[in-house]
Amino acid sequence: MLIMLLMVVVVLQWRAGAFTGALQGDAIAHYVSGLMVHDWLLNQFGAKAVRYLINYHAHLPVTAFGLWPPFYYGIEGVWMLLSGVGMPAMLLLSGSASAFLGLAVGLVVARRSGWMGGLLAALLLVGNPLVQRASNELMLDVPAALGCFLAALAYAAYLAGGRRGAALGFGLLAVIAMMTKYNALALALVPPLCVLIGRRWDLLRRPTFYLPAAIVGVLAGPWYVLAHGLSEQGFRFEWGLAYLKLATPYNAGSIFEGLTPIVAVLAVVGLGRVLWRGGRAGMAGSTPIEISCAALGLSVFLFLLVVPVALQDRYLIPCLAPLLVLAAHEAIRVFEQLRRPIARGAWVAILIVSVVIPAWPVQAVPHNRVAEAAQAALGALPPGNPMALVVAGKATEPAMIAAIGMAEPRRPVTWVVRGSRLFGGGGYNNADYKPRFSDPHDLMKEIDRYGISLVIFQRTGDAQEWAHVAQFNALLAAEPNRFAKVAEITDTAPFQIFRVLGNEARSPDAAALTRLSGPQALLRLVQ
Protein backbone atom coordinates (compact mmCIF):
# COMPACT_ATOMS: atom_id res chain seq x y z
CA MET A 1 0.00 0.00 0.00
CA LEU A 2 2.85 2.43 0.81
CA ILE A 3 4.38 2.19 -2.67
CA MET A 4 0.97 2.69 -4.28
CA LEU A 5 0.28 5.74 -2.13
CA LEU A 6 3.70 7.22 -2.89
CA MET A 7 3.09 6.72 -6.61
CA VAL A 8 -0.27 8.50 -6.30
CA VAL A 9 1.37 11.39 -4.45
CA VAL A 10 4.14 11.71 -7.07
CA VAL A 11 1.57 11.71 -9.89
CA LEU A 12 -0.37 14.45 -8.10
CA GLN A 13 2.86 16.44 -7.64
CA TRP A 14 3.71 16.06 -11.33
CA ARG A 15 0.17 17.02 -12.31
CA ALA A 16 0.44 20.19 -10.23
CA GLY A 17 3.79 21.15 -11.79
CA ALA A 18 5.60 20.90 -8.45
CA PHE A 19 8.82 19.55 -9.98
CA THR A 20 9.26 22.67 -12.08
CA GLY A 21 7.67 25.11 -9.63
CA ALA A 22 9.28 27.54 -7.25
CA LEU A 23 9.66 27.48 -3.50
CA GLN A 24 7.28 29.88 -1.80
CA GLY A 25 6.17 31.01 1.64
CA ASP A 26 7.40 29.11 4.68
CA ALA A 27 8.79 26.34 2.43
CA ILE A 28 11.70 28.65 1.60
CA ALA A 29 12.86 28.87 5.21
CA HIS A 30 12.29 25.14 5.75
CA TYR A 31 14.44 24.33 2.72
CA VAL A 32 17.35 26.61 3.63
CA SER A 33 17.28 25.39 7.25
CA GLY A 34 17.57 21.79 6.05
CA LEU A 35 20.29 22.88 3.63
CA MET A 36 22.23 24.37 6.53
CA VAL A 37 22.06 21.08 8.45
CA HIS A 38 23.25 19.25 5.31
CA ASP A 39 26.22 21.58 4.87
CA TRP A 40 27.11 21.44 8.55
CA LEU A 41 27.08 17.64 8.52
CA LEU A 42 29.03 17.51 5.27
CA ASN A 43 31.64 20.22 5.81
CA GLN A 44 31.69 21.44 9.40
CA PHE A 45 30.52 18.55 11.57
CA GLY A 46 32.00 19.08 15.01
CA ALA A 47 32.09 22.86 14.67
CA LYS A 48 30.00 24.88 17.09
CA ALA A 49 26.50 24.67 15.68
CA VAL A 50 25.29 28.07 16.92
CA ARG A 51 28.26 29.92 15.45
CA TYR A 52 27.82 28.05 12.19
CA LEU A 53 24.11 28.90 12.10
CA ILE A 54 24.83 32.60 12.65
CA ASN A 55 27.36 32.66 9.82
CA TYR A 56 25.11 30.63 7.53
CA HIS A 57 22.09 32.84 8.16
CA ALA A 58 24.20 35.94 7.51
CA HIS A 59 25.02 34.52 4.06
CA LEU A 60 21.56 33.11 3.29
CA PRO A 61 19.23 35.08 5.60
CA VAL A 62 16.11 32.89 5.55
CA THR A 63 16.89 30.07 8.02
CA ALA A 64 14.16 29.39 10.56
CA PHE A 65 15.69 27.79 13.66
CA GLY A 66 13.74 29.00 16.68
CA LEU A 67 10.78 30.14 14.62
CA TRP A 68 10.20 26.40 14.15
CA PRO A 69 11.71 23.47 16.07
CA PRO A 70 14.74 21.65 14.62
CA PHE A 71 13.74 17.98 14.32
CA TYR A 72 12.53 17.97 10.72
CA TYR A 73 15.47 20.09 9.61
CA GLY A 74 17.70 17.29 10.85
CA ILE A 75 15.67 14.82 8.79
CA GLU A 76 16.03 17.10 5.77
CA GLY A 77 19.78 17.43 6.23
CA VAL A 78 20.33 13.66 6.39
CA TRP A 79 17.95 13.13 3.45
CA MET A 80 19.94 15.65 1.37
CA LEU A 81 23.16 13.76 2.13
CA LEU A 82 21.56 10.65 0.64
CA SER A 83 19.58 12.11 -2.27
CA GLY A 84 20.91 15.58 -3.12
CA VAL A 85 19.67 19.10 -2.49
CA GLY A 86 17.49 19.62 -5.57
CA MET A 87 13.73 20.04 -5.69
CA PRO A 88 12.93 16.48 -6.87
CA ALA A 89 14.62 15.05 -3.77
CA MET A 90 12.80 17.49 -1.50
CA LEU A 91 9.44 16.73 -3.07
CA LEU A 92 10.06 13.00 -2.63
CA LEU A 93 10.69 13.62 1.08
CA SER A 94 7.55 15.72 1.37
CA GLY A 95 5.51 13.19 -0.57
CA SER A 96 6.82 10.34 1.57
CA ALA A 97 5.45 12.00 4.69
CA SER A 98 2.01 12.21 3.04
CA ALA A 99 2.22 8.58 1.91
CA PHE A 100 3.17 7.38 5.40
CA LEU A 101 0.30 9.34 6.93
CA GLY A 102 -2.06 7.80 4.39
CA LEU A 103 -0.65 4.36 5.17
CA ALA A 104 -1.23 4.86 8.91
CA VAL A 105 -4.83 5.88 8.31
CA GLY A 106 -5.35 3.01 5.88
CA LEU A 107 -4.02 0.38 8.27
CA VAL A 108 -6.21 1.64 11.12
CA VAL A 109 -9.34 1.63 8.95
CA ALA A 110 -8.45 -1.75 7.42
CA ARG A 111 -8.65 -3.36 10.86
CA ARG A 112 -12.34 -2.49 10.91
CA SER A 113 -13.32 -2.76 7.23
CA GLY A 114 -10.74 -4.83 5.40
CA TRP A 115 -8.07 -3.74 2.94
CA MET A 116 -10.47 -2.16 0.43
CA GLY A 117 -11.90 0.25 2.99
CA GLY A 118 -8.40 0.97 4.28
CA LEU A 119 -7.14 1.76 0.78
CA LEU A 120 -10.09 4.05 0.13
CA ALA A 121 -9.42 5.96 3.37
CA ALA A 122 -5.69 6.22 2.56
CA LEU A 123 -6.42 7.57 -0.93
CA LEU A 124 -8.87 10.07 0.53
CA LEU A 125 -6.12 11.32 2.84
CA VAL A 126 -3.35 11.73 0.23
CA GLY A 127 -5.81 13.18 -2.30
CA ASN A 128 -7.17 15.73 0.14
CA PRO A 129 -6.59 19.25 -1.26
CA LEU A 130 -4.83 20.43 1.93
CA VAL A 131 -2.51 17.43 1.92
CA GLN A 132 -1.90 17.80 -1.81
CA ARG A 133 -0.79 21.40 -1.37
CA ALA A 134 1.52 20.40 1.47
CA SER A 135 2.96 17.55 -0.62
CA ASN A 136 3.68 19.98 -3.46
CA GLU A 137 5.83 22.11 -1.17
CA LEU A 138 8.27 21.51 1.66
CA MET A 139 6.06 22.17 4.66
CA LEU A 140 5.99 20.93 8.25
CA ASP A 141 2.24 20.36 8.55
CA VAL A 142 2.11 16.79 7.22
CA PRO A 143 5.21 15.56 9.13
CA ALA A 144 3.74 17.09 12.30
CA ALA A 145 0.37 15.48 11.52
CA LEU A 146 2.10 12.11 11.07
CA GLY A 147 3.79 12.45 14.45
CA CYS A 148 0.51 13.48 16.11
CA PHE A 149 -1.44 10.60 14.58
CA LEU A 150 1.16 7.99 15.53
CA ALA A 151 1.19 9.43 19.05
CA ALA A 152 -2.61 9.11 19.18
CA LEU A 153 -2.35 5.46 18.11
CA ALA A 154 0.19 4.86 20.88
CA TYR A 155 -2.21 6.43 23.35
CA ALA A 156 -4.99 4.18 22.10
CA ALA A 157 -2.75 1.24 22.96
CA TYR A 158 -2.29 2.73 26.42
CA LEU A 159 -6.07 3.06 26.85
CA ALA A 160 -6.50 -0.55 25.81
CA GLY A 161 -3.90 -2.11 28.11
CA GLY A 162 -2.49 0.54 30.43
CA ARG A 163 1.03 -0.60 29.57
CA ARG A 164 4.04 1.52 30.47
CA GLY A 165 5.55 0.90 27.03
CA ALA A 166 2.53 2.47 25.32
CA ALA A 167 2.73 5.53 27.59
CA LEU A 168 6.43 5.77 26.84
CA GLY A 169 5.74 5.49 23.09
CA PHE A 170 3.16 8.26 23.27
CA GLY A 171 5.61 10.49 25.11
CA LEU A 172 8.44 9.91 22.62
CA LEU A 173 6.21 10.37 19.58
CA ALA A 174 4.80 13.54 21.14
CA VAL A 175 8.35 14.85 21.52
CA ILE A 176 9.05 14.15 17.84
CA ALA A 177 5.85 15.91 16.76
CA MET A 178 6.42 18.88 19.09
CA MET A 179 10.01 19.22 17.89
CA THR A 180 8.72 19.27 14.31
CA LYS A 181 6.16 22.06 14.68
CA TYR A 182 4.87 24.03 17.64
CA ASN A 183 1.23 23.31 16.73
CA ALA A 184 1.84 19.75 17.92
CA LEU A 185 1.63 21.13 21.45
CA ALA A 186 -2.04 20.28 20.99
CA LEU A 187 -1.03 16.73 21.98
CA ALA A 188 -0.91 17.93 25.57
CA LEU A 189 -4.72 17.91 25.49
CA VAL A 190 -5.01 14.31 24.28
CA PRO A 191 -4.58 12.51 27.66
CA PRO A 192 -7.08 14.64 29.61
CA LEU A 193 -9.57 14.53 26.74
CA CYS A 194 -9.24 10.75 26.56
CA VAL A 195 -10.04 10.61 30.28
CA LEU A 196 -13.12 12.79 29.75
CA ILE A 197 -14.37 11.15 26.57
CA GLY A 198 -13.76 7.60 27.74
CA ARG A 199 -14.81 8.24 31.36
CA ARG A 200 -11.50 6.68 32.33
CA TRP A 201 -11.08 8.30 35.73
CA ASP A 202 -9.03 5.29 36.83
CA LEU A 203 -6.13 6.50 34.67
CA LEU A 204 -5.60 9.50 36.94
CA ARG A 205 -4.51 7.13 39.72
CA ARG A 206 -1.84 5.43 37.61
CA PRO A 207 1.75 6.72 37.70
CA THR A 208 2.10 5.82 34.00
CA PHE A 209 -0.56 8.42 33.13
CA TYR A 210 1.96 11.15 34.03
CA LEU A 211 4.95 9.52 32.31
CA PRO A 212 4.44 11.24 28.90
CA ALA A 213 4.38 14.68 30.52
CA ALA A 214 7.70 13.96 32.21
CA ILE A 215 9.25 12.74 28.94
CA VAL A 216 8.08 15.80 27.02
CA GLY A 217 9.24 18.13 29.80
CA VAL A 218 12.74 16.65 29.84
CA LEU A 219 13.29 16.19 26.09
CA ALA A 220 11.34 19.07 24.52
CA GLY A 221 10.96 21.48 27.43
CA PRO A 222 14.43 23.11 27.23
CA TRP A 223 13.98 23.95 23.54
CA TYR A 224 10.56 25.46 24.16
CA VAL A 225 11.90 27.61 26.98
CA LEU A 226 14.77 28.90 24.82
CA ALA A 227 12.66 29.46 21.70
CA HIS A 228 9.57 30.92 23.40
CA GLY A 229 10.25 34.51 22.42
CA LEU A 230 11.23 33.61 18.85
CA SER A 231 8.16 31.50 18.13
CA GLU A 232 5.77 34.21 19.28
CA GLN A 233 7.22 36.55 16.63
CA GLY A 234 5.18 34.60 14.11
CA PHE A 235 1.86 35.30 15.86
CA ARG A 236 -0.26 37.59 13.72
CA PHE A 237 -3.07 38.02 16.28
CA GLU A 238 -3.44 38.80 19.97
CA TRP A 239 -4.56 36.34 22.65
CA GLY A 240 -8.17 36.71 23.67
CA LEU A 241 -11.84 36.54 22.78
CA ALA A 242 -11.46 38.53 19.57
CA TYR A 243 -9.22 35.84 18.09
CA LEU A 244 -11.58 33.10 19.28
CA LYS A 245 -14.46 34.76 17.42
CA LEU A 246 -12.38 34.87 14.23
CA ALA A 247 -10.87 31.42 14.53
CA THR A 248 -14.03 29.44 15.31
CA PRO A 249 -15.89 29.89 12.00
CA TYR A 250 -12.68 29.90 9.97
CA ASN A 251 -11.31 26.66 11.38
CA ALA A 252 -14.68 24.91 11.35
CA GLY A 253 -15.20 25.92 7.73
CA SER A 254 -11.68 24.82 6.79
CA ILE A 255 -12.26 21.36 8.26
CA PHE A 256 -15.62 21.05 6.49
CA GLU A 257 -14.13 22.07 3.13
CA GLY A 258 -10.96 20.04 3.69
CA LEU A 259 -12.84 16.82 4.44
CA THR A 260 -15.53 17.51 1.77
CA PRO A 261 -19.22 17.62 2.80
CA ILE A 262 -19.94 13.86 2.78
CA VAL A 263 -16.86 12.92 4.78
CA ALA A 264 -17.28 15.91 7.11
CA VAL A 265 -20.84 14.86 7.99
CA LEU A 266 -19.68 11.29 8.63
CA ALA A 267 -16.84 12.59 10.81
CA VAL A 268 -19.17 14.80 12.86
CA VAL A 269 -21.63 11.94 13.36
CA GLY A 270 -18.77 9.61 14.30
CA LEU A 271 -17.35 12.15 16.72
CA GLY A 272 -20.77 12.65 18.29
CA ARG A 273 -21.20 8.90 18.65
CA VAL A 274 -17.84 8.58 20.45
CA LEU A 275 -18.62 11.47 22.78
CA TRP A 276 -22.02 9.96 23.61
CA ARG A 277 -20.94 6.37 24.08
CA GLY A 278 -17.61 7.04 25.76
CA GLY A 279 -15.66 4.02 26.94
CA ARG A 280 -18.53 1.87 28.19
CA ALA A 281 -17.80 -1.80 28.44
CA GLY A 282 -18.72 -4.18 25.65
CA MET A 283 -20.36 -3.34 22.34
CA ALA A 284 -22.03 -0.23 23.76
CA GLY A 285 -18.75 1.65 24.17
CA SER A 286 -16.30 3.23 21.74
CA THR A 287 -12.99 1.54 20.99
CA PRO A 288 -9.71 2.99 22.30
CA ILE A 289 -8.79 3.96 18.71
CA GLU A 290 -12.03 5.92 18.34
CA ILE A 291 -11.58 7.64 21.71
CA SER A 292 -7.99 8.58 20.92
CA CYS A 293 -8.87 9.86 17.43
CA ALA A 294 -11.74 11.92 18.84
CA ALA A 295 -9.38 13.37 21.44
CA LEU A 296 -6.73 14.25 18.83
CA GLY A 297 -9.23 15.90 16.48
CA LEU A 298 -10.69 17.98 19.30
CA SER A 299 -7.23 18.80 20.69
CA VAL A 300 -5.99 20.28 17.42
CA PHE A 301 -9.22 22.21 16.86
CA LEU A 302 -9.30 23.63 20.41
CA PHE A 303 -5.60 24.50 20.31
CA LEU A 304 -6.05 26.50 17.11
CA LEU A 305 -9.05 28.32 18.60
CA VAL A 306 -7.01 29.58 21.53
CA VAL A 307 -3.40 30.04 20.34
CA PRO A 308 -3.31 33.02 17.95
CA VAL A 309 -0.71 31.72 15.52
CA ALA A 310 -2.57 32.59 12.32
CA LEU A 311 -5.63 31.63 10.31
CA GLN A 312 -4.46 29.13 7.69
CA ASP A 313 -6.34 26.07 6.55
CA ARG A 314 -3.20 23.92 6.40
CA TYR A 315 -2.87 24.17 10.18
CA LEU A 316 -5.91 21.86 10.33
CA ILE A 317 -4.05 19.00 8.57
CA PRO A 318 -3.37 17.19 11.90
CA CYS A 319 -7.17 17.01 12.31
CA LEU A 320 -7.69 15.16 9.05
CA ALA A 321 -6.28 11.72 9.89
CA PRO A 322 -8.23 11.15 13.14
CA LEU A 323 -11.43 12.57 11.69
CA LEU A 324 -11.06 10.38 8.60
CA VAL A 325 -10.82 7.33 10.86
CA LEU A 326 -14.04 8.33 12.63
CA ALA A 327 -15.72 9.04 9.27
CA ALA A 328 -14.58 5.67 7.90
CA HIS A 329 -15.94 3.82 10.94
CA GLU A 330 -19.25 5.62 10.51
CA ALA A 331 -19.32 4.80 6.78
CA ILE A 332 -18.79 1.13 7.64
CA ARG A 333 -21.73 1.23 10.07
CA VAL A 334 -23.95 2.66 7.34
CA PHE A 335 -22.76 -0.04 4.91
CA GLU A 336 -23.49 -2.81 7.42
CA GLN A 337 -27.00 -1.49 8.02
CA LEU A 338 -27.83 -1.57 4.31
CA ARG A 339 -29.25 -4.96 3.31
CA ARG A 340 -29.87 -4.71 -0.41
CA PRO A 341 -26.86 -5.13 -2.73
CA ILE A 342 -27.95 -2.18 -4.85
CA ALA A 343 -28.05 0.07 -1.79
CA ARG A 344 -24.63 -1.10 -0.69
CA GLY A 345 -23.25 -0.57 -4.18
CA ALA A 346 -24.68 2.94 -4.30
CA TRP A 347 -23.13 3.75 -0.92
CA VAL A 348 -19.72 2.50 -2.04
CA ALA A 349 -20.05 4.59 -5.22
CA ILE A 350 -20.83 7.67 -3.14
CA LEU A 351 -17.73 7.04 -1.02
CA ILE A 352 -15.55 6.60 -4.11
CA VAL A 353 -16.88 9.86 -5.53
CA SER A 354 -16.02 11.52 -2.20
CA VAL A 355 -12.40 10.48 -2.86
CA VAL A 356 -12.24 11.50 -6.52
CA ILE A 357 -13.98 14.89 -6.36
CA PRO A 358 -11.63 16.61 -3.86
CA ALA A 359 -8.53 15.10 -5.49
CA TRP A 360 -9.48 16.12 -9.02
CA PRO A 361 -8.82 19.90 -9.01
CA VAL A 362 -5.15 20.62 -9.70
CA GLN A 363 -3.36 22.21 -6.73
CA ALA A 364 -1.11 24.12 -9.12
CA VAL A 365 2.30 25.33 -8.03
CA PRO A 366 3.31 28.81 -9.30
CA HIS A 367 6.11 28.91 -11.85
CA ASN A 368 8.77 31.53 -12.34
CA ARG A 369 12.39 31.75 -13.43
CA VAL A 370 13.97 32.43 -10.06
CA ALA A 371 16.35 29.47 -10.40
CA GLU A 372 17.57 30.65 -13.80
CA ALA A 373 18.12 34.17 -12.48
CA ALA A 374 20.04 32.79 -9.49
CA GLN A 375 22.35 30.83 -11.81
CA ALA A 376 22.98 33.95 -13.91
CA ALA A 377 23.71 36.01 -10.82
CA LEU A 378 26.24 33.51 -9.46
CA GLY A 379 28.00 33.49 -12.83
CA ALA A 380 28.21 37.31 -12.84
CA LEU A 381 29.66 37.77 -9.34
CA PRO A 382 33.21 39.18 -9.25
CA PRO A 383 35.56 36.45 -7.96
CA GLY A 384 36.77 38.39 -4.94
CA ASN A 385 33.51 40.05 -3.97
CA PRO A 386 30.66 37.51 -3.63
CA MET A 387 28.00 39.95 -2.40
CA ALA A 388 24.59 40.02 -4.09
CA LEU A 389 21.75 42.36 -3.17
CA VAL A 390 18.20 41.19 -3.94
CA VAL A 391 15.74 44.00 -4.69
CA ALA A 392 12.40 42.35 -5.38
CA GLY A 393 8.94 41.76 -3.97
CA LYS A 394 7.85 39.99 -0.81
CA ALA A 395 7.58 36.56 -2.42
CA THR A 396 10.55 36.76 -4.78
CA GLU A 397 13.17 38.10 -2.35
CA PRO A 398 13.31 35.01 -0.07
CA ALA A 399 12.78 32.67 -3.03
CA MET A 400 15.86 34.11 -4.71
CA ILE A 401 17.95 33.54 -1.57
CA ALA A 402 16.88 29.89 -1.49
CA ALA A 403 17.57 29.51 -5.23
CA ILE A 404 21.10 30.88 -4.79
CA GLY A 405 21.68 28.47 -1.93
CA MET A 406 20.40 25.57 -4.04
CA ALA A 407 22.59 26.56 -7.00
CA GLU A 408 25.85 27.19 -5.14
CA PRO A 409 28.23 24.22 -5.38
CA ARG A 410 29.59 24.96 -1.90
CA ARG A 411 27.99 26.94 0.91
CA PRO A 412 28.07 29.41 2.50
CA VAL A 413 30.14 31.52 0.10
CA THR A 414 27.87 34.19 -1.39
CA TRP A 415 26.64 36.92 0.95
CA VAL A 416 23.04 37.51 -0.13
CA VAL A 417 21.67 40.79 1.22
CA ARG A 418 17.92 41.33 1.49
CA GLY A 419 16.81 44.66 0.10
CA SER A 420 14.04 44.73 2.69
CA ARG A 421 16.70 44.57 5.43
CA LEU A 422 19.19 46.99 3.86
CA PHE A 423 16.66 49.60 2.76
CA GLY A 424 13.78 48.88 5.16
CA GLY A 425 12.69 46.74 8.06
CA GLY A 426 10.06 46.16 10.67
CA GLY A 427 9.13 43.09 12.65
CA TYR A 428 9.00 39.39 11.95
CA ASN A 429 9.61 38.66 8.27
CA ASN A 430 9.17 42.39 7.57
CA ALA A 431 5.47 42.07 8.36
CA ASP A 432 5.44 45.70 9.54
CA TYR A 433 7.77 46.93 6.82
CA LYS A 434 8.76 50.57 6.61
CA PRO A 435 11.29 52.06 4.18
CA ARG A 436 14.39 53.58 5.75
CA PHE A 437 15.00 56.19 3.05
CA SER A 438 13.06 58.57 0.86
CA ASP A 439 15.92 59.74 -1.40
CA PRO A 440 17.10 57.12 -3.94
CA HIS A 441 20.67 58.42 -3.63
CA ASP A 442 20.68 57.21 -0.01
CA LEU A 443 20.24 53.67 -1.36
CA MET A 444 23.48 54.12 -3.32
CA LYS A 445 25.27 55.17 -0.15
CA GLU A 446 24.14 51.98 1.59
CA ILE A 447 25.23 49.85 -1.35
CA ASP A 448 28.67 51.48 -1.28
CA ARG A 449 28.85 51.26 2.51
CA TYR A 450 28.86 47.47 2.31
CA GLY A 451 30.70 47.27 -1.02
CA ILE A 452 27.95 45.28 -2.73
CA SER A 453 29.06 44.20 -6.20
CA LEU A 454 25.87 42.79 -7.74
CA VAL A 455 22.15 43.57 -7.67
CA ILE A 456 19.35 41.20 -8.68
CA PHE A 457 16.35 43.37 -9.48
CA GLN A 458 12.73 42.60 -10.27
CA ARG A 459 9.88 45.06 -10.30
CA THR A 460 6.26 43.96 -10.61
CA GLY A 461 4.65 47.33 -10.06
CA ASP A 462 1.78 45.92 -8.01
CA ALA A 463 0.15 47.87 -5.21
CA GLN A 464 1.73 45.74 -2.46
CA GLU A 465 5.30 46.22 -3.72
CA TRP A 466 7.83 47.39 -1.14
CA ALA A 467 8.70 51.09 -1.43
CA HIS A 468 12.43 50.48 -1.83
CA VAL A 469 11.84 48.54 -5.07
CA ALA A 470 10.49 51.67 -6.75
CA GLN A 471 13.26 53.72 -5.09
CA PHE A 472 15.92 51.44 -6.58
CA ASN A 473 14.29 51.78 -10.00
CA ALA A 474 14.60 55.56 -9.58
CA LEU A 475 18.25 55.12 -8.55
CA LEU A 476 18.99 53.29 -11.81
CA ALA A 477 17.72 56.33 -13.70
CA ALA A 478 19.48 58.81 -11.43
CA GLU A 479 22.93 57.17 -11.43
CA PRO A 480 23.18 55.07 -14.62
CA ASN A 481 27.00 55.31 -14.57
CA ARG A 482 27.15 53.13 -11.44
CA PHE A 483 25.32 50.11 -12.89
CA ALA A 484 26.01 47.81 -15.81
CA LYS A 485 23.34 45.28 -16.80
CA VAL A 486 24.95 41.89 -17.26
CA ALA A 487 21.88 39.70 -17.71
CA GLU A 488 18.12 39.80 -18.06
CA ILE A 489 15.86 36.80 -17.50
CA THR A 490 12.46 37.08 -19.14
CA ASP A 491 9.53 36.37 -16.84
CA THR A 492 6.11 37.85 -16.11
CA ALA A 493 8.21 40.58 -14.52
CA PRO A 494 11.80 40.26 -15.86
CA PHE A 495 14.81 39.74 -13.61
CA GLN A 496 17.60 42.22 -14.29
CA ILE A 497 21.11 41.64 -12.97
CA PHE A 498 23.44 44.61 -12.57
CA ARG A 499 27.11 44.89 -11.71
CA VAL A 500 27.77 47.78 -9.31
CA LEU A 501 30.62 49.66 -10.97
CA GLY A 502 33.34 50.71 -8.58
CA ASN A 503 32.68 47.95 -6.04
CA GLU A 504 34.10 44.98 -7.95
CA ALA A 505 37.37 44.98 -6.00
CA ARG A 506 35.80 45.48 -2.59
CA SER A 507 35.95 42.65 -0.08
CA PRO A 508 33.07 41.54 2.14
CA ASP A 509 33.17 42.87 5.71
CA ALA A 510 32.01 39.72 7.50
CA ALA A 511 31.38 41.46 10.82
CA ALA A 512 29.28 44.24 9.26
CA LEU A 513 27.30 41.82 7.10
CA THR A 514 26.64 39.56 10.08
CA ARG A 515 25.32 42.52 12.08
CA LEU A 516 23.07 43.41 9.13
CA SER A 517 21.77 39.98 8.15
CA GLY A 518 22.55 37.61 11.02
CA PRO A 519 19.83 36.16 13.28
CA GLN A 520 19.45 38.95 15.81
CA ALA A 521 18.20 36.80 18.70
CA LEU A 522 21.14 34.40 18.42
CA LEU A 523 23.58 37.27 18.07
CA ARG A 524 22.31 38.69 21.35
CA LEU A 525 22.56 35.24 22.94
CA VAL A 526 26.24 34.72 22.10
CA GLN A 527 27.37 38.27 22.84
Side-chain angles (χ1 to χ4, degrees):
M1 187 187 291
L2 177 63
I3 295 175
M4 180 188 294
L5 292 173
L6 185 56
M7 290 175 62
V8 169
V9 171
V10 170
V11 168
L12 291 172
Q13 289 174 328
W14 171 80
R15 185 166 169 256
F19 292 98
T20 55
L23 287 167
Q24 54 184 328
D26 292 344
I28 294 167
H30 299 327
Y31 173 77
V32 176
S33 298
L35 193 65
M36 193 223 78
V37 175
H38 164 270
D39 292 336
W40 180 71
L41 292 172
L42 188 65
N43 303 315
Q44 296 289 328
F45 186 67
K48 292 183 178 179
V50 173
R51 292 286 184 183
Y52 186 79
L53 170 58
I54 290 172
N55 181 55
Y56 203 96
H57 186 96
H59 283 79
L60 299 170
V62 286
T63 62
F65 285 88
L67 292 172
W68 288 278
F71 179 79
Y72 195 68
Y73 300 146
I75 298 294
E76 278 186 68
V78 173
W79 180 267
M80 289 178 184
L81 289 175
L82 300 174
S83 60
V85 303
M87 277 304 296
M90 293 299 96
L91 288 171
L92 183 59
L93 175 62
S94 185
S96 297
S98 299
F100 273 107
L101 182 58
L103 176 66
V105 170
L107 292 177
V108 170
V109 174
R111 293 174 60 185
R112 176 74 170 78
S113 69
W115 71 269
M116 184 62 74
L119 179 60
L120 193 63
L123 290 173
L124 183 58
L125 189 284
V126 299
N128 182 276
L130 299 181
V131 176
Q132 278 195 60
R133 290 209 307 267
S135 301
N136 295 343
E137 302 172 349
L138 188 65
M139 304 299 280
L140 302 181
D141 303 282
V142 172
L146 177 60
C148 288
F149 188 62
L150 294 178
L153 297 184
Y155 209 77
Y158 177 68
L159 292 175
R163 297 187 304 273
R164 180 181 302 169
L168 177 64
F170 172 75
L172 292 176
L173 288 166
V175 167
I176 290 173
M178 291 178 185
M179 293 299 287
T180 298
K181 190 167 184 179
Y182 294 122
N183 291 11
L185 269 172
L187 285 170
L189 299 176
V190 168
L193 282 176
C194 282
V195 170
L196 289 171
I197 295 170
R199 286 70 153 175
R200 293 292 305 275
W201 317 114
D202 60 296
L203 295 178
L204 299 176
R205 298 191 296 270
R206 298 182 183 182
T208 52
F209 177 79
Y210 305 96
L211 179 60
I215 293 171
V216 170
V218 170
L219 297 182
W223 173 270
Y224 273 70
V225 171
L226 287 173
H228 173 70
L230 286 173
S231 61
E232 283 200 338
Q233 292 179 26
F235 287 14
R236 300 310 304 152
F237 296 91
E238 299 292 334
W239 297 83
L241 187 59
Y243 177 73
L244 180 64
K245 290 179 179 178
L246 286 173
T248 300
Y250 178 87
N251 290 333
S254 295
I255 291 177
F256 187 82
E257 292 178 9
L259 288 173
T260 71
I262 295 173
V263 180
V265 169
L266 289 171
V268 170
V269 172
L271 178 61
R273 187 186 299 275
V274 173
L275 295 176
W276 175 257
R277 292 166 60 178
R280 286 179 247 172
M283 297 296 292
S286 301
T287 66
I289 286 285
E290 291 171 334
I291 292 171
S292 186
C293 284
L296 177 58
L298 288 173
S299 295
V300 174
F301 186 72
L302 292 173
F303 180 86
L304 293 175
L305 292 187
V306 175
V307 182
V309 283
L311 295 176
Q312 296 196 33
D313 54 4
R314 62 185 173 88
Y315 290 171
L316 278 301
I317 288 177
C319 274
L320 296 181
L323 292 180
L324 275 176
V325 170
L326 297 178
H329 285 193
E330 201 60 33
I332 294 162
R333 290 189 183 96
V334 173
F335 180 85
E336 291 172 344
Q337 290 172 5
L338 298 172
R339 299 304 179 189
R340 294 186 178 184
I342 190 170
R344 287 189 166 189
W347 180 239
V348 171
I350 291 172
L351 295 177
I352 292 174
V353 168
S354 72
V355 172
V356 174
I357 288 179
W360 189 257
V362 177
Q363 305 299 315
V365 176
H367 291 68
N368 57 43
R369 303 182 70 180
V370 170
E372 189 176 341
Q375 289 278 8
L378 289 172
L381 279 169
N385 187 359
M387 281 190 286
L389 169 65
V390 181
V391 181
K394 297 178 182 179
T396 302
E397 183 190 77
M400 181 60 68
I401 297 170
I404 290 173
M406 187 183 293
E408 276 194 298
R410 185 179 177 86
R411 296 163 295 271
V413 174
T414 303
W415 297 84
V416 186
V417 178
R418 302 183 72 152
S420 59
R421 178 68 64 87
L422 186 65
F423 302 137
Y428 163 69
N429 204 23
N430 294 302
D432 304 310
Y433 166 86
K434 292 181 180 178
R436 292 177 57 203
F437 307 107
S438 56
D439 186 344
H441 295 287
D442 290 333
L443 274 63
M444 193 73 245
K445 294 176 184 177
E446 284 296 287
I447 291 171
D448 288 338
R449 176 186 170 193
Y450 289 94
I452 292 167
S453 62
L454 194 81
V455 179
I456 306 166
F457 178 56
Q458 183 191 50
R459 187 175 187 196
T460 61
D462 61 60
Q464 301 300 317
E465 190 171 68
W466 279 326
H468 70 264
V469 178
Q471 290 172 347
F472 183 81
N473 191 56
L475 175 62
L476 290 174
E479 300 194 32
N481 58 317
R482 293 300 312 276
F483 299 95
K485 185 188 292 186
V486 295
E488 182 167 329
I489 309 299
T490 304
D491 204 343
T492 306
F495 292 95
Q496 300 177 77
I497 300 171
F498 297 93
R499 278 269 184 95
V500 183
L501 303 179
N503 287 347
E504 299 93 336
R506 297 277 297 274
S507 297
D509 184 339
L513 289 167
T514 300
R515 287 193 297 271
L516 173 69
S517 298
Q520 301 303 309
L522 282 181
L523 285 171
R524 290 191 295 269
L525 184 66
V526 300
Q527 286 174 351

